[in-house]
Amino acid sequence: MGHSDWSDAAYQARQNHRRATKTTAFTYDSAVRSSGVVKVHDQMNPYGVTRESRDSAVHPESLAIAVIFDVTGSMGSVPRVMQAKLGALMRVLIQRGYVAHPQVLFGAVGDATCDRVPLQIGQFESGLEMDEDLGKVYIEGGGGGQVFESYELAMYFMARHTSTDCYEKRGHKGYLFTIGDEKPYASVSRHIVHEHIGDGLERDLPLKKLLAELHERYEHFHIVPTNTSHGGDPAIQAHWRALLGERVLMLDDEAAVCETIALTIGLCEGTLDDLAVGAADLVAAGCDKGAAATAATALTPYAAVRPPVARAVAGLLPAAAGMGDAGRL
Amino acid sequence: MTLTLNGLIQLMLRATEPEDIFGELGATPEDALRRQYRAMVIAAHPDHNPGQWAAANQAFRQLRDWHATAQRKLADGTYGRPERIRAASGGRTYVGYAAPITGDLCDLFPARGDGAPALLKVARSPRSNDLLAAEAHALRRLNTDLAGQPVRAHFPTYVESFLLRDTAGSQRHVNVLRPEEGAYSLAEVLRAYPQGLHPADAAWMFNRTLAALGTAHGMRIVHGAVLPSHMLIRPSDHNGILIDWCYSVAVGAPVKAISTPYAADYPPEVSAKQGATSATDLYMAARLMVRLLGGGAEPPPSVPKPIQALLRACLIPAPARRHSDAWQVLEDFRAILGDLYGPPTFRPFRMPTVP
């Protein structure tokens, strides 16, 4: 997966075509709604699969970036924002030198205890296919009265059903952004995992354990849009904080999701050490000034506590004779 | 073939090292360098290059700098030796010529940077980058929080970290440390004294280990690998330095990796991936002390009974029942030594000279 190139021109051409023909980017969602048959798109189905982010000749140093959003209730606007701003996100990541070869996976979560399509997971894609994956998302839009969504199911998938060259070959963690205004369940239910992913677990997996496993391979951030139905709820914010600390990003406006992701990656990659500079980068890449400022505000607490990043320096180093990681527990 | 000004300029443009300009210098390198330099100075002399006065002058200045670099490398004994490692970080450039020392997870390249000796500790696999980052994190804290305190002497000096790409394309984490002059690891001591040490010699080494651990534990850091190769001692001042913080974790977090040659020296909670605590380090410190005293799994019978009892209390398999306060163990141990041998005196310790 992920062998084509992100072409800004191709994305723009497709967007212009959509506008001219008045078609929506979310073709699958429209199809489901008009046909009334609710099921996950075949290519977004997480059952029995592993998603891979691989290096290729064109992308020798792929970096896995997963963006998984809550598609229930008021959060349904996030994929639309993502779709509209995808171009700017990729422009900033690549052209500002934050990441040379991003491979982006999109996914969506609902509530596994009541939604029909609780988990949708696309492929890691470098090119225009990532825009296509967004098109295959079914936007649940339902959302019950409860304040839980099955984020833990998505995290489980990322921890156990993805394979990334950035980590396996280079020890470089990928990125996972979960976006939503509700709480994850306290553990991964073995029944739900069996039903939707196909794994047979002996017992339910506590969320804390799962997170420890996930964070070995991914820099994980959770974005809480604070202007949505539950996002402003201090209990929900506290719940996420207890799990992820400063890696919970409070975003005043969900329209700034792409900008927030770009800045976070810039910070973690060490290519950006000043949020103000990052915000200026975003504006230069065509983002809205307000959205860039909102994103910078959301990241300020994290930037303050972020451990210093080891910079890459130039030099000469022979290849290692052996791997020498036999002592890993 | 005589060198022309143009030829010299081309030569210097392509050069990255003085060897590229002056070449091999043979058995009497100082003389050979002098001859080479003189011939080149003539080629670059304005008198020999009428009409190219500015170019000749510039070439001469560059040649003079290259010559100075060549002389410096000759004096260092590094002229013509291939570089093993080079890293340009900020304003500093580290260069090392010696073969690396091979550790469990890392290669240690002796190098120099900014005129001072440095050790470049490089993760052998990018998969160990997280462990090197853990070491950098622990040492940064220990160095800053303990600055100016006597206990600071029990920890290595951390300079900086960066990622360096190797020729195979892997990004590998590098920690730059200061080498500890005149120090031996307890692994070396054990090789020199396979029958074990006199308890009074082993005593100060154990004391230093406990002081380092007590300090780190006070900062909620578990070392996670208190092994013979990770404890350095300096016979001249009886200092002890606890090195290799790659395995360190915050109190309560499980240790992520072990040193496989010493797999038998770890307490059970490590392989069970349970949270490591101060008791984890004390178990390993006691195991190390048993080895220093000439024992294997148990302290040898020749060791005074109170010392045996103290060590056994640190070697209880269940971490909750084991000693967990390094300062308390140190205090108890000092009291036992006082009863056995009277007030402490400086007992010179010599390492046999390597032939």
Coordinates of all heavy atoms in Angstrom, one line a residue, chain B residues 292-352:
Chain B
L292 N 31.4 -10.3 43.9 CA 32.7 -9.6 44.3 C 33.3 -10.4 45.5 O 34.6 -10.4 45.6 CB 32.4 -8.2 44.7 CG 32.1 -7.2 43.6 CD1 31.8 -5.8 44.2 CD2 33.3 -7.1 42.7
L293 N 32.5 -10.9 46.3 CA 33.0 -11.7 47.5 C 33.5 -13.1 47.1 O 33.9 -13.8 48.0 CB 32.0 -11.7 48.6 CG 31.6 -10.4 49.2 CD1 30.4 -10.5 50.1 CD2 32.8 -9.8 50.0
G294 N 33.3 -13.4 45.9 CA 33.8 -14.7 45.4 C 32.7 -15.8 45.4 O 33.0 -17.0 45.2
G295 N 31.5 -15.4 45.6 CA 30.4 -16.4 45.6 C 29.7 -16.5 44.3 O 30.0 -15.8 43.3
G296 N 28.8 -17.4 44.2 CA 28.0 -17.6 43.0 C 26.5 -17.2 43.3 O 26.2 -16.1 43.3
A297 N 25.7 -18.3 43.5 CA 24.3 -18.0 43.9 C 24.2 -17.6 45.3 O 23.3 -16.8 45.7 CB 23.5 -19.3 43.7
E298 N 25.1 -18.0 46.1 CA 25.1 -17.7 47.6 C 26.4 -17.0 48.0 O 27.5 -17.3 47.4 CB 25.0 -19.0 48.4 CG 23.6 -19.7 48.3 CD 22.6 -19.0 49.2 OE1 22.9 -18.9 50.4 OE2 21.6 -18.6 48.7
P299 N 26.4 -16.2 49.1 CA 27.7 -15.7 49.5 C 28.6 -16.9 50.0 O 28.1 -17.8 50.6 CB 27.3 -14.8 50.7 CG 25.9 -14.6 50.7 CD 25.3 -15.7 49.9
P300 N 29.9 -16.8 49.8 CA 30.8 -17.9 50.2 C 30.8 -18.0 51.8 O 30.6 -16.9 52.4 CB 32.1 -17.6 49.7 CG 32.1 -16.1 49.3 CD 30.7 -15.8 49.1
P301 N 31.0 -19.2 52.3 CA 31.0 -19.3 53.8 C 32.0 -18.5 54.6 O 31.8 -18.2 55.7 CB 31.3 -20.8 54.0 CG 31.4 -21.4 52.7 CD 31.3 -20.4 51.6
S302 N 33.1 -18.1 53.9 CA 34.1 -17.3 54.5 C 33.6 -15.9 54.9 O 34.2 -15.2 55.7 CB 35.3 -17.2 53.6 OG 34.9 -16.6 52.4
V303 N 32.6 -15.4 54.2 CA 32.1 -14.1 54.5 C 31.4 -14.0 55.8 O 30.7 -14.9 56.2 CB 31.1 -13.7 53.4 CG1 30.4 -12.4 53.7 CG2 31.8 -13.6 52.0
P304 N 31.8 -13.0 56.6 CA 31.2 -12.8 58.0 C 29.6 -12.9 57.9 O 29.0 -12.4 57.0 CB 31.6 -11.4 58.4 CG 32.9 -11.2 57.7 CD 32.7 -11.9 56.3
K305 N 29.1 -13.6 59.0 CA 27.7 -13.9 59.0 C 26.8 -12.7 58.9 O 25.8 -12.7 58.1 CB 27.3 -14.6 60.3 CG 27.9 -16.1 60.4 CD 27.0 -17.0 59.6 CE 27.5 -18.4 59.4 NZ 28.8 -18.5 58.7
P306 N 27.1 -11.6 59.6 CA 26.1 -10.4 59.4 C 26.0 -9.9 58.0 O 25.0 -9.5 57.5 CB 26.7 -9.3 60.4 CG 27.7 -10.1 61.2 CD 28.1 -11.3 60.5
I307 N 27.2 -10.0 57.3 CA 27.1 -9.5 55.9 C 26.3 -10.5 55.1 O 25.5 -10.1 54.2 CB 28.6 -9.4 55.3 CG1 29.4 -8.3 56.1 CG2 28.5 -9.1 53.8 CD1 30.8 -8.1 55.6
Q308 N 26.5 -11.8 55.3 CA 25.7 -12.8 54.6 C 24.2 -12.5 54.8 O 23.4 -12.6 53.9 CB 26.0 -14.2 55.1 CG 27.4 -14.7 54.7 CD 27.5 -16.2 54.8 OE1 26.5 -16.9 54.7 NE2 28.7 -16.7 55.1
A309 N 23.8 -12.2 56.1 CA 22.4 -12.0 56.4 C 21.8 -10.8 55.7 O 20.7 -10.9 55.1 CB 22.2 -11.9 57.9
L310 N 22.6 -9.7 55.6 CA 22.2 -8.5 55.0 C 21.9 -8.8 53.5 O 20.9 -8.4 52.9 CB 23.2 -7.4 55.1 CG 22.8 -6.1 54.5 CD1 21.7 -5.4 55.3 CD2 24.0 -5.1 54.5
L311 N 22.9 -9.5 52.9 CA 22.8 -9.8 51.4 C 21.6 -10.7 51.1 O 20.8 -10.5 50.2 CB 24.1 -10.4 50.9 CG 25.3 -9.5 50.9 CD1 26.5 -10.2 50.4 CD2 25.1 -8.3 49.9
R312 N 21.4 -11.7 52.0 CA 20.2 -12.6 51.8 C 18.9 -11.8 51.9 O 18.0 -12.1 51.1 CB 20.2 -13.7 52.9 CG 21.3 -14.7 52.6 CD 20.9 -16.1 53.0 NE 21.9 -17.1 52.5 CZ 23.0 -17.3 53.2 NH1 23.2 -16.8 54.4 NH2 23.9 -18.2 52.7
A313 N 18.9 -10.8 52.7 CA 17.6 -10.0 52.8 C 17.4 -9.2 51.6 O 16.2 -8.8 51.3 CB 17.7 -9.1 54.1
C314 N 18.4 -9.0 50.8 CA 18.2 -8.2 49.5 C 18.0 -9.2 48.4 O 17.6 -8.8 47.3 CB 19.5 -7.5 49.2 SG 19.9 -6.1 50.3
L315 N 18.1 -10.5 48.6 CA 18.0 -11.5 47.6 C 16.7 -12.3 47.7 O 16.5 -13.3 47.0 CB 19.2 -12.4 47.5 CG 20.5 -11.7 47.1 CD1 21.7 -12.6 47.4 CD2 20.4 -11.4 45.6
I316 N 15.8 -11.9 48.5 CA 14.5 -12.6 48.6 C 13.7 -12.4 47.3 O 13.6 -11.3 46.8 CB 13.6 -12.0 49.8 CG1 14.4 -12.2 51.1 CG2 12.2 -12.5 49.8 CD1 13.8 -11.4 52.3
P317 N 13.2 -13.5 46.7 CA 12.6 -13.5 45.4 C 11.4 -12.5 45.4 O 11.2 -11.8 44.4 CB 12.2 -14.9 45.1 CG 13.1 -15.7 46.0 CD 13.4 -14.9 47.2
A318 N 10.5 -12.5 46.4 CA 9.4 -11.7 46.4 C 9.8 -10.2 46.6 O 10.3 -9.9 47.7 CB 8.4 -12.2 47.5
P319 N 9.5 -9.3 45.7 CA 10.0 -8.0 45.8 C 9.4 -7.3 47.0 O 10.1 -6.4 47.7 CB 9.6 -7.3 44.5 CG 8.7 -8.2 43.8 CD 8.9 -9.6 44.4
A320 N 8.2 -7.6 47.4 CA 7.6 -6.9 48.5 C 8.2 -7.2 49.9 O 8.2 -6.5 50.8 CB 6.1 -7.3 48.6
R321 N 8.9 -8.4 49.9 CA 9.5 -8.8 51.2 C 11.0 -8.5 51.2 O 11.7 -8.6 52.3 CB 9.3 -10.3 51.4 CG 7.8 -10.7 51.7 CD 7.6 -12.2 51.8 NE 8.6 -12.8 52.7 CZ 9.2 -13.9 52.4 NH1 9.0 -14.5 51.2 NH2 10.1 -14.4 53.2
R322 N 11.5 -8.1 50.1 CA 12.9 -7.8 50.0 C 13.2 -6.4 50.5 O 12.3 -5.5 50.6 CB 13.3 -7.8 48.5 CG 14.7 -8.0 48.1 CD 14.8 -7.8 46.6 NE 14.1 -8.8 45.9 CZ 13.6 -8.6 44.6 NH1 13.7 -7.5 44.0 NH2 12.9 -9.6 44.1
H323 N 14.5 -6.1 50.9 CA 14.9 -4.7 51.2 C 14.6 -3.8 50.1 O 14.8 -4.2 48.9 CB 16.4 -4.7 51.5 CG 16.8 -4.8 52.9 ND1 16.3 -4.0 53.9 CD2 17.8 -5.6 53.5 CE1 16.8 -4.3 55.0 NE2 17.7 -5.2 54.9
S324 N 14.1 -2.6 50.4 CA 13.8 -1.7 49.3 C 14.4 -0.3 49.5 O 14.1 0.6 48.6 CB 12.3 -1.6 49.1 OG 11.7 -1.1 50.3
D325 N 15.1 -0.1 50.6 CA 15.6 1.2 50.8 C 17.2 1.2 50.8 O 17.8 0.7 51.7 CB 15.1 1.7 52.2 CG 15.6 3.2 52.5 OD1 16.5 3.6 51.8 OD2 15.0 3.8 53.4
A326 N 17.7 1.7 49.7 CA 19.2 1.6 49.5 C 19.9 2.3 50.6 O 21.0 1.9 51.1 CB 19.6 2.2 48.1
W327 N 19.4 3.5 51.1 CA 20.1 4.2 52.1 C 20.1 3.4 53.4 O 21.1 3.4 54.2 CB 19.4 5.6 52.4 CG 19.5 6.6 51.2 CD1 18.5 7.2 50.6 CD2 20.8 7.1 50.7 NE1 19.0 8.0 49.6 CE2 20.4 7.9 49.6 CE3 22.1 6.8 50.9 CZ2 21.3 8.6 48.8 CZ3 23.0 7.5 50.1 CH2 22.7 8.3 49.1
Q328 N 19.0 2.7 53.7 CA 18.9 1.9 54.9 C 19.9 0.7 54.9 O 20.6 0.5 55.8 CB 17.5 1.3 55.1 CG 17.2 0.6 56.4 CD 17.4 1.5 57.6 OE1 16.9 2.6 57.7 NE2 18.3 1.1 58.6
V329 N 20.0 0.1 53.7 CA 21.0 -1.0 53.5 C 22.4 -0.5 53.7 O 23.2 -1.1 54.4 CB 20.8 -1.7 52.1 CG1 21.8 -2.7 51.9 CG2 19.4 -2.2 52.0
L330 N 22.6 0.7 53.1 CA 24.0 1.3 53.3 C 24.3 1.6 54.8 O 25.4 1.3 55.2 CB 24.0 2.7 52.5 CG 25.3 3.4 52.5 CD1 26.5 2.6 51.9 CD2 25.2 4.7 51.7
E331 N 23.3 2.1 55.5 CA 23.5 2.4 56.9 C 23.8 1.1 57.7 O 24.7 1.0 58.5 CB 22.3 3.1 57.5 CG 22.6 4.1 58.6 CD 21.3 4.7 59.0 OE1 20.7 5.5 58.2 OE2 20.8 4.5 60.2
D332 N 22.9 0.1 57.4 CA 23.1 -1.2 58.1 C 24.5 -1.8 57.8 O 25.2 -2.3 58.7 CB 22.0 -2.2 57.7 CG 20.6 -1.8 58.1 OD1 20.5 -0.8 58.9 OD2 19.6 -2.4 57.7
F333 N 24.9 -1.7 56.5 CA 26.1 -2.3 56.1 C 27.3 -1.6 56.8 O 28.3 -2.2 57.2 CB 26.2 -2.2 54.6 CG 27.4 -2.8 54.0 CD1 27.7 -4.2 54.2 CD2 28.3 -2.2 53.2 CE1 28.8 -4.9 53.7 CE2 29.4 -2.8 52.6 CZ 29.7 -4.1 52.9
R334 N 27.2 -0.2 56.9 CA 28.3 0.5 57.5 C 28.4 0.1 59.0 O 29.5 0.0 59.5 CB 28.0 2.0 57.5 CG 28.4 2.6 56.1 CD 28.7 4.1 56.2 NE 29.2 4.6 54.9 CZ 28.7 5.6 54.2 NH1 27.7 6.2 54.7 NH2 29.3 6.0 53.1
A335 N 27.2 -0.1 59.6 CA 27.2 -0.5 61.1 C 27.9 -1.9 61.2 O 28.7 -2.1 62.1 CB 25.8 -0.5 61.6
I336 N 27.6 -2.8 60.3 CA 28.2 -4.1 60.4 C 29.7 -4.0 60.2 O 30.5 -4.6 60.9 CB 27.6 -5.0 59.3 CG1 26.1 -5.3 59.6 CG2 28.3 -6.4 59.2 CD1 25.3 -5.9 58.4
L337 N 30.1 -3.2 59.2 CA 31.6 -3.1 58.9 C 32.3 -2.5 60.1 O 33.4 -2.9 60.5 CB 31.8 -2.1 57.7 CG 31.4 -2.7 56.3 CD1 31.6 -1.6 55.3 CD2 32.2 -3.9 56.0
G338 N 31.6 -1.5 60.8 CA 32.2 -0.9 62.0 C 32.4 -1.9 63.1 O 33.5 -2.0 63.7
D339 N 31.4 -2.8 63.3 CA 31.5 -3.9 64.3 C 32.6 -4.8 63.9 O 33.4 -5.3 64.8 CB 30.2 -4.6 64.4 CG 29.1 -3.8 65.0 OD1 29.4 -2.7 65.6 OD2 27.9 -4.2 64.9
L340 N 32.7 -5.2 62.6 CA 33.7 -6.2 62.2 C 35.1 -5.7 62.2 O 36.1 -6.4 62.6 CB 33.3 -6.7 60.8 CG 32.1 -7.7 60.8 CD1 31.7 -7.9 59.3 CD2 32.4 -9.0 61.5
Y341 N 35.3 -4.5 61.6 CA 36.7 -4.0 61.2 C 37.0 -2.7 61.9 O 38.1 -2.2 61.6 CB 36.8 -3.9 59.7 CG 36.5 -5.1 58.9 CD1 35.3 -5.2 58.2 CD2 37.3 -6.2 58.9 CE1 35.0 -6.3 57.5 CE2 37.0 -7.4 58.2 CZ 35.8 -7.4 57.5 OH 35.5 -8.5 56.8
G342 N 36.2 -2.1 62.7 CA 36.5 -0.8 63.3 C 36.2 0.3 62.4 O 35.7 0.1 61.3
P343 N 36.7 1.5 62.7 CA 36.4 2.7 61.9 C 37.0 2.5 60.5 O 38.0 1.9 60.4 CB 37.1 3.9 62.7 CG 37.5 3.3 64.0 CD 37.5 1.8 63.9
P344 N 36.3 3.1 59.5 CA 36.8 2.9 58.1 C 38.2 3.6 57.9 O 38.5 4.6 58.4 CB 35.7 3.6 57.2 CG 34.9 4.4 58.2 CD 35.1 3.9 59.5
T345 N 39.0 2.9 57.2 CA 40.3 3.4 56.8 C 40.5 3.3 55.3 O 39.8 2.5 54.7 CB 41.5 2.7 57.4 OG1 41.4 1.3 57.1 CG2 41.5 2.8 58.9
F346 N 41.3 4.1 54.6 CA 41.5 4.0 53.2 C 42.4 2.8 52.9 O 43.6 2.8 53.3 CB 42.1 5.3 52.6 CG 42.1 5.3 51.1 CD1 41.0 5.8 50.4 CD2 43.2 4.9 50.4 CE1 41.1 5.8 49.0 CE2 43.3 4.9 49.0 CZ 42.2 5.4 48.3
R347 N 41.9 1.8 52.3 CA 42.6 0.6 51.9 C 42.9 0.7 50.4 O 42.1 0.6 49.6 CB 41.7 -0.6 52.1 CG 42.3 -1.7 53.0 CD 41.2 -2.8 53.1 NE 41.5 -3.8 52.1 CZ 42.2 -4.9 52.3 NH1 42.7 -5.1 53.5 NH2 42.4 -5.8 51.4
P348 N 44.2 0.9 50.1 CA 44.5 1.0 48.6 C 44.1 -0.3 47.9 O 44.3 -1.4 48.4 CB 46.0 1.1 48.6 CG 46.4 1.5 50.0 CD 45.4 0.9 50.9
F349 N 43.5 -0.1 46.7 CA 43.1 -1.2 45.9 C 43.8 -1.1 44.6 O 43.9 0.0 43.9 CB 41.6 -1.2 45.6 CG 41.1 -2.2 44.7 CD1 41.0 -3.5 45.1 CD2 40.8 -1.9 43.4 CE1 40.6 -4.5 44.3 CE2 40.3 -2.9 42.5 CZ 40.3 -4.2 43.0
R350 N 44.5 -2.1 44.2 CA 45.3 -2.1 42.9 C 44.7 -3.1 41.9 O 44.4 -4.2 42.3 CB 46.8 -2.4 43.2 CG 47.5 -1.3 43.9 CD 48.9 -1.2 43.5 NE 49.4 -2.2 42.5 CZ 50.3 -3.1 42.8 NH1 50.8 -3.2 44.0 NH2 50.6 -4.0 41.9
M351 N 44.7 -2.6 40.7 CA 44.3 -3.5 39.6 C 45.7 -4.0 39.1 O 46.6 -3.2 38.9 CB 43.6 -2.8 38.5 CG 42.1 -2.6 38.8 SD 41.2 -4.2 38.8 CE 40.9 -4.4 37.0
P352 N 45.8 -5.3 38.8 CA 47.0 -5.8 38.3 C 47.3 -5.2 36.9 O 46.3 -4.9 36.1 CB 46.8 -7.3 38.1 CG 45.3 -7.5 38.2 CD 44.8 -6.4 39.0

